[in-house]
Amino acid sequence: MNISARNSFPGTITALAEGPVNAEVELSTAGGDRIVAVVTEGSVRSLGLAVGKPVVAYVKAPWVMVMAGQENVRFSARNHLAGTVQQVTRGAVNSDVVVQLPGGSLVHAVITNEAVLELALKPGAPASVLFKASHVILGVPA
């Protein structure tokens, strides 16, 4: 399957909290990175989601925020993952920033060129990525 989302996190469901409308799904990648998704109960049923099941989490690059410095800040975004900038590809207005997580996953974020300068993002610099659990799309092998 081809997909336009730049970020793909294959993993295994490690926790599933179901509610009357939505469910919170936690997955762990092979490298130990943890991703949280919020999906509908309909999706839980139609995808057959359960603890221990393999799943792939997808996140579009424009939905990813990048933070540098001030690691003592708390956010409502469930996914806050620290890593190191691997690459910055500058465009006319936006840049593609690639952050490598400790578990080896690469996260692409599309942010403004101005933000790249303000945050002093360059290869080797520490940075965190943030994205909302509701921005995570789950898929299962067919």
Side-chain angles (χ1 to χ4, degrees):
M1 171 175 74
N2 294 324
I3 190 164
S4 66
R6 296 289 308 272
N7 300 300
S8 172
F9 304 97
T12 302
I13 297 175
T14 52
L16 177 62
E18 296 189 59
V21 177
N22 289 329
E24 182 178 89
V25 181
E26 179 183 291
L27 70 99
S28 292
T29 66
D33 299 315
R34 183 177 78 75
I35 308 293
V36 178
V38 171
V39 299
T40 65
E41 276 299 322
S43 291
V44 171
R45 287 188 303 279
S46 67
L47 296 174
L49 300 180
V51 172
K53 183 167 184 157
V55 67
V56 180
Y58 299 100
V59 182
K60 292 183 66 67
W63 296 345
V64 177
M65 295 171 279
V66 179
M67 183 178 84
Q70 289 212 329
E71 291 298 319
N72 58 348
V73 179
R74 293 174 55 181
F75 297 93
S76 62
R78 293 297 310 277
N79 297 291
H80 178 195
L81 306 162
T84 304
V85 176
Q86 292 298 305
Q87 180 179 342
V88 177
T89 304
R90 185 178 167 94
V93 176
N94 293 325
S95 292
D96 177 33
V97 178
V98 182
V99 175
Q100 184 170 19
L101 304 180
S105 297
L106 297 177
V107 183
H108 291 259
V110 174
I111 63 174
T112 64
N113 293 336
E114 184 176 324
V116 170
L117 293 174
E118 288 175 2
L119 296 173
L121 299 174
K122 60 185 177 187
S128 293
V129 293
L130 296 101
F131 50 93
K132 295 176 67 69
S134 58
H135 285 169
V136 178
I137 300 166
L138 297 179
V140 296

